[in-house]
Amino acid sequence: MTEISLGGGTLLFILVILGLAVGVVAGPVRKPAVAGQFYPGDPGTLRRMVKELLEGARKVPVNGQIVGLIAPHAGYPYSGPTAAVAYKQVMGKHYDAVIVIGPSHREPLKGSSVWAEGGYETPLGVVPIAEDIAEKMLSPEDNIVFSERGHRYEHSVEVQIPFLQEAIPDLRVVPVVMGEQNLRACRNLADAIVRACDGKNVLLVASSDLYHGYSYEECVRTDERTLKAILRFDPVGFVEGLLRGEYQACGGGPIAVVLMAAEKLGADKVKLLAHTNSNDVTGERGGYVVGYSALAIYRAEGGEIRRKVGVDLGLSEEDKKTLLAIARRTVEQVTKGEPLPSFEVTSKRLLEKWGAFVTLKKHGELRGCIGYIEGIKPLWETVRDMARAAALEDPRFPPVRPEEVPELEIEISVLTPLRKIKDIDEIVIGRDGLIIRKGWRQGLLLPQVATEYGWDVRTFLEHTCLKAGLPRNAWKDPDAEIWAFSAEVFSEGEF
């Protein structure tokens, strides 16, 4: 890595006079890799170009607070006008940090590489890293590390920075390059971002072009499918479609991460701001063609910062803490081979019979989830028994080991009685969980699942079918039964 060196006061004075010194940063500075190739290397020329692009970009009405942007990363003569539309929407706004996520085109990476210290340089100056946020994102067990690898030659993040330098006052950044772009890697990085940004005002940026190929007609068709998928705000379905080849975006992983993280930070809508392709920009047909789009992910005006999942069943705060303590102690004991613990419970509410699920998560990833759909035991006993089952008997996972227990977060869902659905318009995302039964197959998804992944009703139905081992559209079959329920959902992180 390269250390920043001023070489004395005279050089610093010269830099200030030239308008190049953004501030002195301590630590490693990532030097420009594609200046003079993707964008002008001369500071004055670059500044004029970016200013002209931003001045010429239209301001698209977005009725809410922008949490994330998607912008292209080709050479400025090609994708610059489209990227400028994205950054025009946030000009003059102040953020604690801008997290820019791009794909790795040149170096293979197992996970994600975060430039977590020092600065990030372009011909317009050195931008300081938001080290407080970057360091909290690091998670070696999830392959999220601070490394030079991935950043050295990569253009996908670098080309976004000059736009941000012109658009955002007092800019601090967290540059991230993604290697693997599978669902697990996307969820890990999204969870790391949400964890690190708690209480912060951040802007998320996904750097991605769309179609790459030699057919203009295919570019138009593929980009239309890809953009519709992004606009559905279904990051899981988007990743699945990318893996099937149905959609195309070289930064598909970064797009999915920004959608996942933005939703957890309060965003609930996506808006297309601009779309074109390289043939349209040059006015030529034939040859290689690449799709470019700008999108905003935002929280609609009047929307809540965080969605409230489920319903209020009247459990007191003390009741919830008691149930979580029962689940925690149970998991601690049974994973060490000890018998189920006994508890003295006096709360009348906890002695009532309710269905309940206990969910275990490790670093944001599901580690076990089992429950009773209907109330057949006192609630406290159901939670104890389901905590044991989630830790030891979920067939999707190996039994939880004792050393894992401190890393687990426990979530409890207390279920309402089932009601049969005759019209899918009765289903409300964020309130309802679903059960689909067909023949001997049955699938269940809790209310928080649809909210976590940003699904609409039809996508929720499709994934419930898949959970049952049925085709996606099995819910439409006349002999398929759809049942809904709600739940009071609470976790250790709330107390």
Side-chain angles (χ1 to χ4, degrees):
M1 297 184 184
T2 307
E3 299 287 338
I4 184 169
S5 176
L6 296 177
T10 301
L11 179 56
L12 176 58
F13 174 77
I14 293 172
L15 290 174
V16 171
I17 292 297
L18 292 175
L20 301 180
V22 177
V24 180
V25 300
V29 173
R30 191 273 190 185
K31 295 292 185 179
V34 295
Q37 302 171 47
F38 282 72
Y39 59 85
D42 174 74
T45 304
L46 175 59
R47 192 180 298 278
R48 283 192 299 272
M49 175 180 277
V50 174
K51 282 186 175 181
E52 289 173 1
L53 287 169
L54 288 169
E55 288 171 359
R58 63 192 181 99
K59 183 76 177 288
V60 181
V62 176
N63 189 27
Q65 180 182 338
I66 293 176
V67 179
L69 296 171
I70 300 171
H73 57 231
Y76 281 18
Y78 298 95
S79 69
T82 304
V85 176
Y87 293 111
K88 185 66 171 274
Q89 314 311 309
V90 295
M91 279 195 70
K93 296 185 181 297
H94 291 264
Y95 296 94
D96 294 322
V98 179
I99 300 176
V100 185
I101 312 167
S104 179
H105 290 86
R106 303 175 189 274
E107 294 184 280
L109 294 173
K110 188 173 183 180
S112 297
S113 177
V114 181
W115 195 277
E117 297 177 9
Y120 199 100
E121 185 176 1
T122 79
L124 300 184
V126 178
V127 182
I129 301 299
E131 296 182 354
D132 54 332
I133 292 174
E135 290 172 4
K136 289 180 182 178
M137 287 172 55
L138 301 179
S139 177
E141 61 271 26
D142 295 323
N143 295 312
I144 303 172
V145 298
F146 176 25
S147 173
E148 182 180 70
R149 187 174 182 83
H151 292 272
R152 288 176 290 198
Y153 317 112
E154 184 54 52
H155 68 277
S156 62
V157 172
E158 182 176 329
V159 299
Q160 310 296 342
I161 305 300
F163 280 106
L164 289 166
Q165 286 173 293
E166 282 298 308
I168 306 298
D170 304 318
L171 177 66
R172 296 197 309 155
V173 296
V174 179
V176 184
V177 176
M178 285 190 77
E180 292 177 321
Q181 298 188 40
N182 55 42
L183 191 55
R184 177 177 292 273
C186 291
R187 284 176 173 167
N188 285 345
L189 184 54
D191 287 343
I193 290 170
V194 173
R195 181 174 62 246
C197 294
D198 186 32
K200 300 286 188 179
N201 177 30
V202 297
L203 175 68
L204 311 178
V205 175
S207 178
S208 181
D209 296 333
L210 301 180
Y211 173 88
H212 292 64
Y214 289 90
S215 169
Y216 178 87
E217 292 73 22
E218 185 59 27
C219 176
V220 172
R221 289 192 294 268
T222 302
D223 281 0
E224 182 178 6
R225 288 197 304 272
T226 302
L227 290 170
K228 283 183 177 178
I230 296 170
L231 292 169
R232 280 197 294 270
F233 213 137
D234 175 13
V236 174
F238 179 64
V239 173
E240 291 172 347
L242 287 169
L243 295 175
R244 291 193 303 268
E246 184 178 353
Y247 315 131
Q248 190 175 143
C250 58
I255 292 172
V257 169
V258 168
L259 288 171
M260 290 175 181
E263 195 277 333
K264 291 184 178 181
L265 293 172
D268 54 7
K269 292 186 181 297
V270 184
K271 183 165 188 172
L272 180 62
L273 306 171
H275 173 60
T276 187
N277 61 59
S278 56
N279 276 192
D280 287 339
V281 171
T282 62
E284 300 174 356
R285 291 289 183 271
Y288 201 66
V289 57
V290 179
Y292 312 128
S293 285
L295 299 100
I297 303 111
Y298 65 102
R299 183 174 71 250
E301 204 71 60
E304 296 293 331
I305 296 294
R306 293 186 186 271
R307 299 180 183 181
K308 170 66 177 173
V309 178
V311 294
D312 186 353
L313 296 179
L315 290 169
S316 69
E317 183 172 309
E318 193 60 35
D319 287 338
K320 295 176 185 178
K321 289 180 178 179
T322 298
L323 291 174
L324 289 166
I326 288 172
R328 169 65 62 178
R329 184 174 163 194
T330 298
V331 173
E332 289 172 345
Q333 292 197 193
V334 300
T335 54
K336 293 187 288 188
E338 298 175 3
L340 279 172
S342 59
F343 300 93
E344 291 187 8
V345 177
T346 58
S347 168
K348 292 182 179 180
R349 196 67 167 161
L350 303 189
L351 295 173
E352 295 174 358
K353 293 181 179 180
W354 290 85
F357 275 69
V358 175
T359 302
L360 307 179
K361 291 185 179 181
K362 180 180 177 182
H363 305 304
E365 287 289 324
L366 184 64
R367 187 63 179 86
C369 180
I370 291 182
Y372 286 150
I373 298 173
E374 299 182 80
I376 60 175
K377 295 181 179 181
L379 179 54
W380 76 266
E381 192 174 343
T382 295
V383 166
R384 181 194 64 178
D385 293 352
M386 294 305 97
R388 176 192 177 279
L392 302 181
E393 297 176 357
D394 190 325
R396 297 168 294 180
F397 305 97
V400 172
R401 303 184 307 276
E403 59 269 25
E404 292 181 88
V405 175
E407 301 176 81
L408 298 179
E409 181 178 358
I410 298 175
E411 180 182 83
I412 295 172
S413 304
V414 181
L415 275 56
T416 65
L418 300 179
R419 68 181 193 280
K420 195 167 185 179
I421 296 295
K422 296 180 180 179
D423 186 332
I424 64 171
D425 287 340
E426 301 172 34
I427 301 168
V428 176
I429 295 296
R431 181 193 70 188
D432 295 332
L434 292 179
I435 296 174
I436 291 181
R437 294 170 177 161
K438 187 174 186 295
W440 57 272
R441 294 185 180 274
Q442 173 175 292
L444 179 149
L445 289 176
L446 295 170
Q448 56 267 45
V449 176
T451 300
E452 181 178 351
Y453 294 128
W455 293 338
D456 58 19
V457 170
R458 288 181 178 268
T459 306
F460 195 14
L461 287 162
E462 290 173 358
H463 281 271
T464 309
C465 289
L466 294 175
K467 183 73 178 295
L470 296 167
R472 278 180 176 266
N473 290 325
W475 61 272
K476 298 179 180 180
D477 295 348
D479 56 342
E481 295 181 358
I482 304 174
W483 296 79
F485 61 91
S486 194
E488 180 151 9
V489 183
F490 49 96
S491 66
E492 292 175 311
E494 299 176 26
F495 300 102

